[in-house]
Amino acid sequence: MSETLRQKYEAAGQGHVFNFWSQLSEDDQKSLVSQLGSIDIERVNRVYSNAIQSEKHAAESNQSIHQGIEPLPEESFETILGAPQKEAQWREIGLEAIADGKVGVLLMAGGQGTRLGSSAPKGCYDIGLPSHKPLFQIQAERIARIQQVAAQAKGKSPASVVVPWYIMTSGPTRANTEAFFEEHAHFGLERNNVVFFEQGTLPCLSMDGKVLLEAPARVAVAPDGNGGLYNALRTPFHLPSSNSSTTVLSDMESRGIQYVHAYGVDNCLVKVADPVFVGCCLQKQAECGSKVVRKTIPSESVGVVAVRDGRYSVVEYSEISKEQAELRDPKTGELAFRAANIVNHFYTTKFLKAIESFEDKMAFHIARKKIPFVDLKTGEYSKPSKPNGMKLELFVFDVFPFTHDFTVMEVERTEEFSPLKNAPGTGSDDPQTSRRDILAQQRRYLEQAGATVADGVEVEISPLVSYAGEGLESLRGKHFDKPTVLDKLSSANA
């Protein structure tokens, strides 16, 4: 097998990965063959070539980076702000799709909590709620609740409504994530409806596109970015319940899933399998959609969903001129470029399957890094002091330019977006702001239901009790004057 593999790599101009073959032990030879066999080296070469050509084209273009960028067309933009009737209509459409078993959820959870001072998967992090529920549990309980809400709304038995949860991990987080779910009995969800799969990797390359070795028997690799999601959906993996292998896309097909909600793990306010977002995209007949929040000031450092050269795109704040950033919509007076990207997306499974047909046209982004490597001449391990190679990444929004039917739905930031990015005590996007925002939201839910909460008193509502403020009618007139965790309505002594 190694000879066939060697010929394949030599034909691709990457035969140097066998440089130390004769010096390797039998076990190391097997390990190297196993790793090389799992790499599509022709695809690696294509990815490198496309990335270099794209970078070169951008550098040689006479067009300013600010040119060709336009606000979203009116027909592609929807908002629920000040539109309760639309919101209610979309919710009903979405609940019906959920009740019919057509909606699945994709969670991008490959990151570790390194910035938070934790080596555990980010979803395991406790943001300090009174219940000490980690992010994974908060999201799992929202899924459980929306299944119940959809079943009740459409007259179905609760057990008959399932929203499968597909969780994309990474090499460093896969085992710990699965163990965490096992330890917590999948947070009450059926084990078979929680599917773990792994984000892909790509070899690290030299500046001229040659695969780097980090050891004589091991290729240096790095994650292929959150846009690696699309390739990972087609990559076979073994189901724990059987010896057979499947892919996420084929598993979705077998369950009858037609629509998918995808999001990142670090947003404590995320409405998982949001029926309003799903319903909006269905009514608009979108194949792909993006949920956004309103950019409030021109100088906010956030990417926005816009149009670039006639195609939908996420445009980074550094690519928009001061004049563009300050431009106002003549009809509303709001910023013209206001659709702030929050990594919250809708797809049809038909579109997800079609991505393979144009994936080679999506140019990966090059990150030039200092990458430790083994010198092919001396066999010595080297840690460079300056960038010596590149890592290639695809972003999840890199599919937007290839969509034909695209919808953007704007939501209220305070209700749906509070990311966890920074170390405790930073003052923004940290555990304290996540905790503050989720408890403030739940206070609003209680007040909207007719309850009152004393100043300085914290009341936490379990997602199992309420997904988005519904089901709290029995608390009307109730006054909370001491800290409370509402894990069931009876615990409020209502």
Side-chain angles (χ1 to χ4, degrees), residues 58-76:
E60 292 177 348
S61 173
N62 292 324
Q63 179 174 292
S64 162
I65 60 169
H66 307 314
Q67 290 180 309
I69 297 174
E70 300 173 356
L72 287 165
E74 189 174 330
E75 65 269 16
S76 297

Side-chain angles (χ1 to χ4, degrees), residues 64 66 71 298 319-328 335-337:
S64 162
H66 307 314
E319 298 175 304
I320 294 179
S321 68
K322 184 174 183 292
E323 291 74 22
Q324 287 171 325
E326 294 176 348
L327 187 67
R328 297 280 171 173
L335 293 173
F337 293 95

Side-chain angles (χ1 to χ4, degrees), residues 112-114 117-122 172-173 176:
Q112 294 170 289
T114 310
S118 169
S119 61
K122 211 173 190 181
T173 65
N176 287 340

